[in-house]
């Protein structure tokens, strides 16, 4: 379904940043201001073009909208197949919105190799958008790998002192997961007769419990590393801390969501038996990540590292909501992905702003900043409260829905996960107190200037969305409801009634030990 007939709106949104990058390529690198302006204008136009996806979205149906499907390599069943539904709609908008803020935040922070930087930022935007709208597995994988390259260079060239180490670690972790996913895609293609990579055609392929188990694991590891779930999270703090501010914003705001989206779009519908079977294990890992991320955040001396570890905790909530397998949990998870992108992205922006002024991120180097930076303190306070889920702000809505959905699935999981919210309040408010209040006893802090007009322009739209989603989340929830319900029905209808593969293995292990005990007696 395409409300604009044959107009290729999605393709324009996806590839317009690439056009902007090509224009910048032919501009002399010494003309820094035109390069910045073209990059910003390109991202603004892409964001403006993405708004009709939201406002003209038909929330009464789960059907794909703005679909474009063309044969690409027909002899191998590869097609250019993109579309939007309630599952990826908000993530597309989050990507276009975050990209504008990331480029605007780099205006003064990036002074070297500006041309290359802006080209990579626009290439990264194309890669991220392509991932969210691709419905052909081959096309999805191409965009998945494409996105990796610009982020590697952004960290490796414009990052901090350990930038090369962080970039290589990020690249190796992501590549390891990508290779496993590629093997899974090719195996699925082979089982399907070697005729198509179309997701909806592959959904019709009957898979045995054994096949589902191994295919699920291949996809799961790729997505778990990208989220990153505990214990696959170790690349994240290094990448966040060493990345430039805009890189951290994109990482937190968009890239981490690709793993959660992968679970929703691919793992659940393609491998329903394996998804149901691994529910308890994945839920436990998510809860460990929630609590572990919060506890580690509590002891971080570096502001950026604290926010990075908080992402491990917050993304644990998103995973927990998905594997509750009910409407409230999955809706909460999708909304919380947007909420996390806004609040944590804003935290990285604010940390970047103070770093530009003081060239340090150590909490101990601050104190009493609210006396000289009242506007900065106000923005920081609102975003901090959003991050801990204060009622009336966006974080509360997503976390509440996830906890209710988890409670309906297994009450103990919801109770354990709720401790993560308490711990989040501890480390976030303690951090805020140490940075903003107390004595202004360091001479370097007394001369700091409050936010500039450009920095206010970056923060105001985020703050507006934080309040809007917190007070009136219905427009966002309504647009995803039909698609989420359809996804749950898909999983339920495809789910086998036979004993599952891992259940059989458990029974065999149990039998083995019982037989051994009997023989010993």
């Amino acid at each position: 379904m395409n409300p604009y007939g044959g107009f290729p709106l999605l393709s324009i949104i996806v590839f317009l940043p690439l056009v902007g990058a090509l224009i910048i390529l032919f501009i002399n690198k010494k003309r820094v201001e035109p390069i910045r302006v073209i990059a910003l204008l390109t991202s603004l136009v892409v964001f403006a073009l993405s708004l009709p996806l939201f406002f003209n979205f038909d929330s009464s149906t789960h059907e794909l909208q703005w679909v474009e499907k063309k044969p690409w390599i027909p002899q191998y069943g590869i097609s250019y197949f993109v579309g939007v539904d309630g599952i990826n709609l908000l993530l597309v908008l989050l990507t276009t919105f975050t990209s504008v803020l990331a480029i605007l935040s780099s205006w003064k922070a990036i002074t070297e190799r500006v041309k290359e930087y802006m080209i990579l930022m626009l290439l990264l935007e194309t890669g991220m958008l392509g991932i969210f709208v691709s419905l052909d597995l081959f096309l999805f994988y191409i965009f998945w790998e494409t996105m990796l390259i610009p982020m590697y260079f952004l960290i490796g060239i414009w990052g901090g002192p350990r930038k090369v180490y962080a970039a290589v670690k990020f690249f190796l972790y992501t590549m390891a997961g990508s290779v496993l996913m590629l093997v899974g895609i090719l195996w699925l293609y082979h089982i399907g007769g070697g005729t198509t990579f179309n997701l909806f055609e592959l959904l019709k392929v009957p898979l045995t419990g054994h096949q589902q188990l191994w295919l699920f694991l291949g996809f799961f590891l790729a997505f778990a590393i990208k989220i990153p779930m505990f214990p696959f999270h170790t690349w994240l703090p290094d990448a966040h801390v060493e990345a430039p501010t805009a890189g951290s914003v994109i990482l937190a705001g968009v890239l981490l969501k690709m793993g959660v989206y992968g679970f929703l779009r691919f793992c659940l519908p393609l491998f329903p038996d394996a998804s149901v079977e691994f529910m308890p294990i994945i839920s436990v890992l998510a809860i460990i990540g929630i609590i572990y991320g919060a506890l580690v955040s509590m002891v971080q001396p570096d502001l950026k590292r604290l926010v990075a570890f908080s992402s491990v905790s917050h993304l644990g909530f998103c995973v927990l909501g998905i594997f509750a397998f009910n409407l409230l949990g999955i809706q909460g998870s999708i909304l919380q992905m947007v909420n996390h992108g806004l609040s944590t992205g804003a935290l990285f922006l604010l940390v970047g702003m103070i770093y530009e002024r003081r060239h340090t991120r150590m909490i101990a180097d601050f104190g009493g900043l609210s006396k000289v930076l009242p506007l900065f303190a106000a923005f920081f306070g609102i975003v901090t409260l959003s991050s801990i889920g204060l009622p009336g702000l966006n974080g509360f809505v997503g976390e509440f829905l996830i906890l209710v959905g988890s409670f309906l699935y297994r009450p103990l999981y919801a109770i354990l996960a709720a401790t993560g919210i308490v711990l989040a309040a501890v480390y976030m408010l303690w951090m805020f107190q140490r940075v903003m209040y107390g004595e202004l006893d360091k001479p370097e802090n007394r001369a700091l200037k409050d936010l500039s007009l450009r920095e206010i322009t970056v923060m105001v739209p985020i703050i507006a969305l934080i309040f809007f989603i917190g007070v009136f989340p219905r427009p966002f929830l309504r647009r995803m409801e039909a698609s989420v319900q359809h996804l749950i029905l898909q999983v339920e209808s495809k789910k086998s009634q036979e004993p599952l593969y891992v259940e059989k293995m458990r029974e065999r292990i149990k039998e083995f030990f019982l037989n051994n005990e009997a023989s010993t007696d």
Side-chain angles (χ1 to χ4, degrees), residues 91 94 132 226-227 251-262 315 318 336-338 340-341:
L91 296 172
L94 178 66
F132 289 129
K226 183 63 75 179
I227 289 174
L251 264 172
V254 183
L255 259 65
L256 306 188
K257 314 305 181 298
M258 292 171 183
V260 185
Y261 170 75
L315 269 296
C318 295
Q336 191 61 11
M337 282 193 269
V338 176
H340 176 265

Side-chain angles (χ1 to χ4, degrees), residues 8-9 73 92 98 118 191 197 229 274 305 324 412 467-468 513:
L9 179 61
I73 312 175
V92 171
T98 306
M118 291 301 176
I191 295 169
F197 285 93
M229 280 180 67
R305 202 167 182 87
L412 179 62
F467 279 107
F468 184 80
F513 282 111

Side-chain angles (χ1 to χ4, degrees), residues 294 373 521:
L373 305 173
D521 294 341

Side-chain angles (χ1 to χ4, degrees), residues 28-264:
N28 190 312
K29 65 181 179 181
K30 294 179 182 177
R31 302 183 65 192
V32 172
E33 285 305 311
I35 288 169
R36 288 172 175 155
V37 169
I38 290 170
L40 180 60
L41 285 176
T42 303
S43 61
L44 279 168
V45 171
V46 172
F47 175 61
L49 288 171
S50 69
L51 290 176
L53 299 180
F54 184 84
F55 291 109
N56 294 335
F57 188 81
D58 184 359
S59 55
S60 64
T61 177
H62 68 268
E63 298 290 337
L64 288 167
Q65 301 175 40
W66 290 279
V67 177
E68 296 171 40
K69 188 177 179 184
K70 302 288 182 187
W72 182 17
I73 312 175
Q75 61 268 37
Y76 298 114
I78 299 170
S79 61
Y80 175 77
F81 182 20
V82 295
V84 169
D85 62 4
I87 291 172
N88 60 0
L89 170 67
L90 296 182
L91 296 172
V92 171
L93 286 161
L94 178 66
T95 304
T96 58
F97 178 71
T98 306
S99 297
V100 175
L101 301 181
I103 290 172
L104 194 55
S105 71
S106 307
W107 209 264
K108 298 295 182 185
I110 303 299
T111 55
E112 295 181 359
R113 299 183 179 180
V114 176
K115 176 178 177 176
E116 293 87 344
Y117 179 88
M118 291 301 176
I119 287 173
L120 289 170
M121 287 294 290
L122 292 171
L123 289 176
L124 182 61
E125 185 175 6
T126 285
M128 294 185 299
L129 288 167
I131 286 170
F132 289 129
V133 300
S134 296
L135 297 166
D136 179 280
L137 267 67
F138 184 85
L139 183 66
F140 171 81
Y141 187 77
I142 293 294
F143 280 119
W144 181 275
E145 293 294 88
T146 300
M147 168 277 306
L148 178 62
I149 298 165
M151 182 52 74
Y152 170 78
F153 285 113
L154 286 169
I155 298 171
I157 296 173
W158 292 273
R162 299 174 72 238
K163 56 191 178 185
V164 174
Y165 169 79
V168 170
K169 192 173 182 181
F170 163 75
F171 192 88
L172 290 177
Y173 265 76
T174 309
M175 274 298 295
S178 299
V179 168
L180 290 170
M181 182 170 66
L182 178 61
V183 172
I185 290 171
L186 294 174
W187 189 12
L188 190 60
Y189 173 74
H190 173 71
I191 295 169
T195 57
T196 183
F197 285 93
N198 183 318
L199 172 64
F200 296 96
E201 292 299 321
L202 292 172
L203 287 174
K204 301 171 187 175
V205 176
L207 298 171
T208 65
H210 181 80
Q211 289 170 334
Q212 282 199 42
L213 172 72
W214 291 107
L215 285 166
F216 177 88
L217 285 174
F219 279 77
F220 166 78
L221 286 170
F223 299 144
I225 289 169
K226 183 63 75 179
I227 289 174
M229 280 180 67
F230 178 90
F232 309 103
H233 65 283
T234 56
W235 65 267
L236 179 68
D238 293 306
H240 267 317
V241 170
E242 299 305 324
T245 296
S248 296
V249 171
I250 293 289
L251 264 172
V254 183
L255 259 65
L256 306 188
K257 314 305 181 298
M258 292 171 183
V260 185
Y261 170 75
F263 283 143
L264 281 169

Side-chain angles (χ1 to χ4, degrees), residues 488-506:
I488 294 167
L489 287 172
Q490 260 186 319
V491 174
E492 289 298 322
S493 63
K494 285 188 69 181
K495 199 168 64 178
S496 168
Q497 301 304 313
E498 297 176 7
L500 300 172
Y501 182 76
V502 174
E503 283 180 4
K504 291 177 184 175
M505 292 298 294
R506 278 199 294 264

